[in-house]
Amino acid sequence: MFQPSQADVRRFFCAVLAKSRAAQPLEALETLASLWIAEHPEYHADLADAERAVQHSAATDDGRTNPFLHLSMHLSISEQCSIDQPRGIRQAVELLAARRGSLHDAHHDAMECLGRMLWESQRAGRPPDGDAYIDCVQRHATRD
C-alpha cells in the first residue's frame, strides 16, 4: 500500500494546482483533486509554492483549517464512495448530499465523522470503526 509522506502530499496538491492553471493534462486522481481544489480558492495561495508548502507548518492554532489535510479528506471520502468502503458510505454520503443540497457540504459533515473515527481509533489503540463512521454520517443525513 502506498503511504506518501507529508511532503509528498503537499507537493501533489501544489502540482495539481500548477498543472490546472497551465491547462496541462491531468491523471484521474489529479482531476479529482483539481475539482476539490477549485471548490477551495482560499487554499490557492497555500498551494502556489510547493517548497514553501513543504516547509510551512499548517498548524490550526491560527483558526485556519490545514488545507492539505482538508483536501486529503475530500479525496479520501471520494474514494470511499467510489468503492463503497466501508460498506454503506456511498449511500450515506448521497443521502447527506441530497439533504444538504450540496456534495461539498456533505463532505464537510462526513469529514467530522471521519476525523472523529480516526481520533477515537488512535486514542483507543484499536482499528477504525467503520460502522460508527457510517452511523455518524447517517445521523447527519437524517437529523432535523
Side-chain angles (χ1 to χ4, degrees):
M1 182 176 278
F2 181 65
Q3 293 186 341
S5 69
Q6 181 184 70
D8 293 335
V9 169
R10 290 174 180 212
R11 284 189 181 101
F12 169 77
F13 285 114
C14 293
V16 168
L17 179 63
K19 286 174 79 172
S20 293
R21 285 181 169 170
Q24 294 176 340
L26 301 171
E27 295 182 21
L29 184 61
E30 292 173 329
T31 298
L32 183 57
S34 73
L35 296 172
W36 290 118
I37 290 169
E39 290 283 331
H40 291 283
E42 70 275 19
Y43 297 156
H44 290 185
D46 295 307
L47 304 176
D49 181 342
E51 290 314 308
R52 189 183 77 207
V54 168
Q55 299 304 318
H56 178 70
S57 170
T60 56
D61 298 344
D62 59 2
R64 290 188 66 224
T65 300
N66 177 326
F68 306 100
L69 175 60
H70 188 85
L71 293 168
S72 293
M73 290 181 85
H74 273 301
L75 285 181
S76 294
I77 294 166
S78 294
E79 179 66 13
Q80 290 168 359
C81 290
S82 76
I83 62 172
D84 197 30
Q85 187 62 31
R87 171 163 274 185
I89 190 62
R90 180 185 302 135
Q91 181 183 32
V93 171
E94 287 173 355
L95 288 170
L96 183 53
R99 178 188 174 275
R100 300 275 278 143
S102 163
L103 179 61
H104 189 217
D105 292 341
H107 266 228
H108 286 182
D109 288 345
M111 282 180 198
E112 291 178 30
C113 299
L114 178 58
R116 182 177 307 118
M117 177 193 64
L118 294 172
W119 180 81
E120 288 175 358
S121 170
Q122 290 173 346
R123 185 176 55 100
R126 59 176 164 65
D129 185 346
D131 292 333
Y133 172 43
I134 301 297
D135 290 345
C136 179
V137 175
Q138 287 174 334
R139 279 192 307 277
H140 278 275
T142 59
R143 71 178 178 201
D144 292 325

